[in-house]
């Protein structure tokens, strides 16, 4: 009996990091299975070694007894992996742009190396010399093959900008209101490196008032590798602008008083659209002009203004006082309103004649001469004034005034009817009482029948269309109206007299609109349609009214009663229920077959329901639905050439 071969296979993935202890015991599987209750005892081993690499497994102390022969599969193997060491550069390692990097970059690491293992080599960084942050790299740093080195992302090596001080050249300035001298001149220290150069210009603190202003970096730039700062050693200055204040010359004509027209000045030198509102102080005037009264020439001196931005100087002006004229006016001073062509005259031989006229008058000619012509239109107390320039160049300080009384003219007011029907007579029209010389006229469509020459007339209107009444008279001042007063009258034509025609019991007017029917001369309420059903016996006529004017009475149509059959009415026709809500029955009885018309008429005689040629034989019941008619009393009529029966029905919803 030979020993049973058993193959031992180590479980895959059994490993350790360099420097750590082996995981024990090693795990495994085996095949084929042992017999019965036999078991494997002992531990699997491996080839010795502690550096990184793979190591074959060995039987070690494994045994299953003398009946089994154990062997180890070649794969898998036990592995030792590198230990990861995280290297972290020390913070705040830096340099200024243009300088050299510090010698060796310092660092810390974790975890510690095993035994007597040490680092050799040094850290490095990403290449670059411009300002910014640069990540470190492992460089030549190593701890041997048993270690895997990694570098922490932070911190990074930094290159900071080189500080450059900019100093503006002293003595740069401008006058208030002028533009800045650009660009501003400056020097720098220390110098830029290599071929680096500046772009942009320096600026200054904003402000345009007189004073000193510090400089600022503005748009000056040497690139991201330089940090620019401005020196406070020099400042830009703005000096005052020259401003001349000139007292303006004034003039007046002698009027016995001190000049009161107000003194003024002009300014020369303002900039930036500025005016006197930017000046301080209070403008004052002095000189001989201040108290001067008599004709002559006097000085005007201005002073008192202050300014931060302007250097103010003053120039004097003069006041000239001349001799004034004394104008007069000749012309009518009492006349009727409406008088035209009235002349008014003042002194000749002067210039710049200025005429003014009060409300109610119009200057028609001569406005710039010594004689004008005036039309007077409206009554009242009026006036004309004139002034002119004499040989000394003066107007009068009191213009000449000429008072005029413009007498009122009558303005007739007509009252009366202004809309009337053709043929109207005895129509009265009135105007004001107690005046003289009344004159009335009417247009050809009317005739004055009485009152001509008085304040009231009576007119008959035979024409039609647009007509007119006018009146005029003379008042107690002897003034007549400028024009006659017109009073408009419209005379409406009368409608044509209608003609009535008859067809059976239906009467028709020749007029489509405006009809009103009459029975025996009495108006039939609500009967205004062109056609009318003659329900009752008598003479029917019609009158047409359009635009409130009525025609003549039409021809008369006599409607006679129809004969009633011998049939007993109470037995021949019955309406029920009565009263009702619009729905009822008509019960009709006839011993013989007859054709009848059934009609329902409202109280105004208007046909509202009809059924023709209804054959009656025996007793018949006819249902009627009048739900849409208004409440009221209606007549139900049963008629033919021989019979006319009526029943009253009351509808109440």
């Amino acid at each position: 009996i030979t020993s049973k071969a058993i193959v031992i296979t180590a479980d895959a993935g059994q490993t350790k990091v360099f420097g750590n202890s082996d995981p024990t015991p090693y795990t495994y599987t085996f095949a084929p299975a042992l017999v019965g209750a036999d078991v494997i005892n002992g531990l699997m081993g491996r080839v010795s070694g502690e550096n990184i690499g793979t190591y074959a497994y060995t039987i070690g102390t494994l045994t299953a007894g003398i009946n089994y022969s154990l062997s180890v599969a070649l794969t898998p193997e036990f592995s030792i992996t590198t230990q990861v060491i995280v290297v972290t550069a020390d913070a705040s390692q830096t340099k200024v742009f243009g300088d050299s990097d510090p010698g060796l970059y310092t660092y810390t690491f974790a975890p510690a190396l095993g035994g007597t293992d040490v680092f050799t080599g040094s850290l490095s960084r990403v290449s670059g010399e411009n300002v910014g942050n640069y990540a470190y790299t492992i460089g030549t740093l190593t701890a041997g093959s048993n270690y895997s080195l990694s570098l922490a992302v932070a911190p990074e090596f930094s290159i900071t900008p080189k500080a450059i001080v900019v100093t503006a050249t002293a003595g740069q300035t401008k006058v208030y209101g002028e533009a800045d001298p650009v660009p501003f001149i400056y020097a720098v220290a220390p110098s830029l490196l290599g071929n680096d150069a500046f772009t942009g210009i320096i600026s200054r603190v904003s402000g345009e008032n007189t004073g000193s202003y510090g400089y600022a970096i503005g748009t000056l730039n040497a690139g991201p590798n330089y940090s620019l700062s401005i020196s406070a050693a020099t400042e830009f200055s703005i000096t005052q602008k020259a401003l001349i204040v000139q007292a303006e010359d004034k003039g007046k004509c002698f009027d016995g008083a001190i000049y009161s027209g107000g003194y003024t000045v002009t300014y020369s030198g303002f900039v930036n659209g500025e005016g006197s509102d930017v000046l301080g102080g209070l403008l004052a005037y002095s000189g001989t002009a201040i108290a001067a009264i008599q004709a002559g020439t006097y000085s005007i001196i201005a002073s008192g203004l202050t300014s931060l931005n302007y250097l103010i100087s003053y120039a004097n002006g003069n006041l000239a006082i001349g001799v004034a004229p004394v104008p007069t006016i000749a012309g009518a001073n009492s006349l009727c309103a409406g008088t035209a062509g009235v002349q008014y005259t003042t002194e000749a031989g002067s210039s710049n004649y200025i005429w003014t006229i009060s409300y109610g008058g119009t200057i028609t000619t001569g406005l710039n001469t010594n004689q004008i012509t005036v039309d007077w239109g409206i009554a009242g107390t009026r006036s004309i004034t004139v002034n002119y320039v004499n040989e000394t160049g003066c107007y009068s300080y009191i213009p000449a005034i000429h008072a005029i009384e413009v007498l009122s003219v009558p303005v007739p007011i007509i009252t009366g009817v202004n809309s009337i029907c053709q043929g109207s007579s005895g129509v009265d029209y009135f105007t004001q009482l107690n005046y003289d010389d009344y004159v009335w006229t009417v247009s050809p469509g009317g005739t004055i029948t009485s009152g001509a020459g008085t304040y009231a007339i009576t007119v008959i209107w035979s024409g039609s269309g647009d007509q007119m009444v006018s009146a005029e008279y003379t008042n107690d001042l002897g003034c007549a109206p400028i024009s006659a007063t017109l009073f408009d009258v419209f005379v409406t034509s009368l409608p044509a007299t209608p003609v009535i025609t008859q067809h059976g019991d239906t009467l028709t007017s020749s007029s489509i609109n405006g009809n009103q029917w009459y029975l025996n001369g009495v108006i039939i309420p609500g009967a205004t349609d062109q056609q009318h059903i003659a329900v009752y016996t008598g003479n029917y006529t019609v009158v047409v009214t359009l635009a409130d004017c009525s025609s003549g009475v039409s021809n008369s149509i006599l409607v006679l009663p129809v004969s009633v059959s011998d049939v007993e009415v109470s037995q021949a026709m019955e309406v029920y229920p009565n009263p009702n809500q619009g729905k009822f029955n008509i019960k009709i009885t006839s011993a013989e077959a007859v054709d009848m018309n059934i009609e329902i008429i409202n109280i105004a005689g208007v046909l509202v329901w009809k059924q023709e040629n209804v054959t009656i034989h025996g007793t018949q019941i006819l249902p009627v639905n009048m739900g849409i008619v208004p409440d009221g009393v209606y007549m139900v009529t049963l008629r033919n050439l021989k019979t006319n029966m009526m029943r009253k029905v009351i509808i109440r919803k």
Side-chain angles (χ1 to χ4, degrees), residues 347-510:
E347 290 76 16
S350 293
S351 62
N352 295 341
Y353 289 95
I354 299 176
W355 293 88
T356 61
I357 191 167
S358 61
Y359 171 76
T362 302
I363 299 174
T364 58
T365 62
L367 188 60
N368 297 315
T369 70
N370 73 309
Q371 182 173 286
I372 61 170
T373 303
V374 176
D375 292 348
W376 292 105
I378 301 176
T381 299
R382 311 299 181 203
S383 65
I384 296 174
T385 67
V386 70
N387 209 337
Y388 52 79
V389 176
N390 63 10
E391 65 279 1
T392 66
C394 286
Y395 285 105
S396 171
Y397 64 91
I398 302 178
I401 301 175
H402 188 70
I404 299 137
E405 189 66 31
V406 181
L407 305 175
S408 64
V409 298
V411 181
I413 299 173
I414 300 174
T415 58
V417 179
N418 59 5
S419 180
I420 201 164
C421 295
Q422 186 180 11
S424 299
S425 60
V427 183
D428 295 326
Y429 295 92
F430 304 88
T431 189
Q432 291 94 331
L433 279 166
N434 302 323
Y435 291 105
D436 299 323
D437 303 323
Y438 289 96
V439 177
W440 291 88
T441 58
V442 296
S443 54
T447 303
I448 298 174
T449 57
S450 65
T454 70
Y455 79 99
I457 60 170
T458 302
V459 178
I460 182 171
W461 294 105
S462 55
S464 63
D466 292 322
Q467 307 292 330
M468 178 271 297
V469 177
S470 70
E472 54 185 314
Y473 52 77
T474 301
N475 64 14
D476 52 2
L477 300 175
C479 295
I482 298 173
S483 61
T485 296
L486 304 181
F487 184 79
D488 293 327
V489 178
F490 184 78
V491 181
T492 303
S493 300
L494 298 179
T497 300
V499 176
I500 303 175
T501 57
Q502 182 179 17
H503 180 73
D505 57 355
T506 301
L507 305 180
T508 303
S509 169
S510 60

Side-chain angles (χ1 to χ4, degrees), residues 315-651:
N316 296 342
N318 293 310
L319 170 67
I321 301 177
V323 179
V326 182
T328 62
I329 300 174
N333 55 14
S334 179
L335 40 79
C336 291
T339 303
V342 183
Q343 291 186 338
Y344 296 90
T345 305
T346 189
E347 290 76 16
S350 293
S351 62
N352 295 341
Y353 289 95
I354 299 176
W355 293 88
T356 61
I357 191 167
S358 61
Y359 171 76
T362 302
I363 299 174
T364 58
T365 62
L367 188 60
N368 297 315
T369 70
N370 73 309
Q371 182 173 286
I372 61 170
T373 303
V374 176
D375 292 348
W376 292 105
I378 301 176
T381 299
R382 311 299 181 203
S383 65
I384 296 174
T385 67
V386 70
N387 209 337
Y388 52 79
V389 176
N390 63 10
E391 65 279 1
T392 66
C394 286
Y395 285 105
S396 171
Y397 64 91
I398 302 178
I401 301 175
H402 188 70
I404 299 137
E405 189 66 31
V406 181
L407 305 175
S408 64
V409 298
V411 181
I413 299 173
I414 300 174
T415 58
V417 179
N418 59 5
S419 180
I420 201 164
C421 295
Q422 186 180 11
S424 299
S425 60
V427 183
D428 295 326
Y429 295 92
F430 304 88
T431 189
Q432 291 94 331
L433 279 166
N434 302 323
Y435 291 105
D436 299 323
D437 303 323
Y438 289 96
V439 177
W440 291 88
T441 58
V442 296
S443 54
T447 303
I448 298 174
T449 57
S450 65
T454 70
Y455 79 99
I457 60 170
T458 302
V459 178
I460 182 171
W461 294 105
S462 55
S464 63
D466 292 322
Q467 307 292 330
M468 178 271 297
V469 177
S470 70
E472 54 185 314
Y473 52 77
T474 301
N475 64 14
D476 52 2
L477 300 175
C479 295
I482 298 173
S483 61
T485 296
L486 304 181
F487 184 79
D488 293 327
V489 178
F490 184 78
V491 181
T492 303
S493 300
L494 298 179
T497 300
V499 176
I500 303 175
T501 57
Q502 182 179 17
H503 180 73
D505 57 355
T506 301
L507 305 180
T508 303
S509 169
S510 60
S511 177
I512 297 175
N513 299 311
N515 294 287
Q516 176 59 63
W517 292 89
Y518 292 79
L519 177 59
N520 297 327
V522 178
I523 191 170
I524 303 174
T528 57
D529 294 333
Q530 185 181 13
Q531 290 187 334
H532 183 71
I533 305 299
V535 179
Y536 305 101
T537 299
N539 288 300
Y540 286 83
T541 57
V542 71
V543 173
V544 174
T545 301
L546 297 173
D548 296 328
C549 293
S550 299
S551 69
V553 180
S554 71
N555 58 305
S556 176
I557 296 292
L558 176 62
V559 177
L560 298 174
V562 297
S563 59
V564 180
S565 69
D566 294 335
V567 180
E568 181 65 31
V569 172
S570 62
Q571 297 176 357
M573 180 180 179
E574 180 183 356
V575 177
Y576 66 91
N578 194 9
N580 58 71
Q581 294 182 341
K583 293 183 180 180
F584 56 88
N585 298 310
I586 303 174
K587 182 178 180 182
I588 307 169
T589 303
S590 175
E592 299 179 357
V594 294
D595 291 334
M596 308 288 287
N597 289 343
I598 303 173
E599 300 169 346
I600 301 177
I601 302 167
N602 65 18
I603 195 169
V606 178
L607 180 67
V608 296
W609 189 89
K610 183 175 184 178
Q611 189 167 343
E612 297 181 335
N613 298 322
V614 178
T615 301
I616 308 299
H617 191 189
T619 298
Q620 288 186 230
I621 297 175
L622 180 67
V624 177
N625 186 350
M626 293 180 61
I628 63 173
V629 301
D631 292 1
V633 177
Y634 296 83
M635 299 302 297
V636 181
T637 302
L638 182 69
R639 69 167 72 189
N640 58 18
L641 295 177
K642 295 182 179 181
T643 304
N644 184 15
M645 293 183 291
M646 300 180 70
R647 289 290 183 271
K648 180 172 71 174
V649 62
I650 299 172
I651 295 178

